[in-house]
Amino acid sequence: MCLGVPGKIVDIDGDIATVDFWGVRRQVRLDIIDEPAAVGDYILNHVGFAIRRIPEESVAETLSLYEQLMAEAADDAMTSDIRGEIAAASAMAPEKGRA
Amino acid sequence: MTGEALKFRDPELARALAAKLAHQMTEIGRPVSVMHVCGSHEQAIAKFGLRSLFPKALTVIMGPGCPVCVTDVPEVDEGVVLAEQGVHIATYGDMLKVPGTVRSLADAQALGGKIHVVYSPAQAVELARSMPEQEVVFFATGFETTAVVTAAVIVDNPPKNFSVLSAHKYIPPVMEIVAEMPESRVEGFLAAGHAATITGWAVFEPFVERHKIPVVVAGFEPLDILAGLVELVELVKEGTPRVVNTFPRCVTREGNRAAQAELWRVFRPLGGRWRGIAHVPNGNLRLRDEYAHVDARRRFKIDITKLWDYAPPHLANQCICGDIMAGIRNPYDCKLFNKECLPENPVGACMVSNEGTCKIWHLYGGVPDLSEVPA
Ligand code: SF4
Ligand code: SF4
């Protein structure tokens, strides 16, 4: 449950980013990211929130293990943790509580 | 396990690192035990068969690295009692089978309790919004990395019918506990990269100062782990304890400052038991008074003592999870491992989550025979 998963920002609306995870698009909250992120950046998503902007020079390296794992059977423990992290981001734009 | 090790992104480098480790251990000339505290590390070690690449004299133990496994029995009981009071419980899927004193959340669900599996605290908030007449409690588990996200939804004006039952745990204090156990032979810690993403690696400096035990922050890719171990064993060999960050692509010295501020704004550290380990001073994260209105413990009367009339299941007394997480024994030392205790019907918490040592060893085998790995 706590692996985190990298994805690429394709759109930003306030505190919410639309992030692409290997073709699956999800909404990820940006409230607690370590530094401002822009469209085109990769972030690490953990339970629906971006916890880090991945520096550009580290993107390829970070993606490689995930790519290998994503290719594995869905019932593998690490693979299912990663899929869980993708599922953690919500499919629709969540309503924000801030009035 | 055959062939798994072939999947190294760079087998050459893996072999070079393994050879380096062997050389270091020969120079040290005695057995050394080190501990990691990360379920994802153990998954990678077991899945890629790394233990077969380690020198015989080097023991790599998984410590209390899974937040689900260390959720204490009374904490599960609190969730069960709330469910039995008719409150909706939202929690991570791994929590359902964790044994309580008499019932797990899954048992409570089978008896009509309203338990919802969520992947994110934000989904628990959405659930509360979708049924404003019902009380929804998010049963929160996880280490600091995950607690930060719980904090983020708490400060974001959740609806009035939403509250949090926090079983969040904070890693640095438990390293102290393990280091101080009289039976402990741990000479170095491999710290989890993603946890340190939030806290930064400086958080380990006071620990190193006090215990003279080195800490290396490592990523969870097989090569990251091997490289982290080489660094750690080097520090053991040199007798120069300090913190080394081998995962700069994810971890900085300061960490994510804004997230830390959010974490400590909402939570305060409080002593409490970790299942099977011990009482850990400052090891639990509880809601501060300012957020009492979101704290399920203060919003509801949760009387777990009524569960205690029952004797605990007899098998549970034989579970040695605690010794396993303290690094004193391994799952093969447990008589129940892979017999009475299986993922479908776990006796102890370490068999429940994908990050529990017993579950991981059940899935991948702990010390696989990798004689077929090309040398
Ligand atoms: S939160 Fe950190 S320590 Fe826990 S499993 Fe994830 S990466 Fe490892
Ligand atoms: S195999 Fe089951 S009973 Fe034995 S230590 Fe592990 S979790 Fe406990």
Side-chain angles (χ1 to χ4, degrees), chain A residues 2-3, chain B residues 37-41 65 67 143 145-146 171 192-195 220 355:
Chain A
C2 23
L3 202 53
Chain B
V37 277
C38 170
S40 304
H41 276 166
F143 295 130
T145 321
T146 317
I171 288 264
H194 284 172
F220 58 86
E355 291 173 22

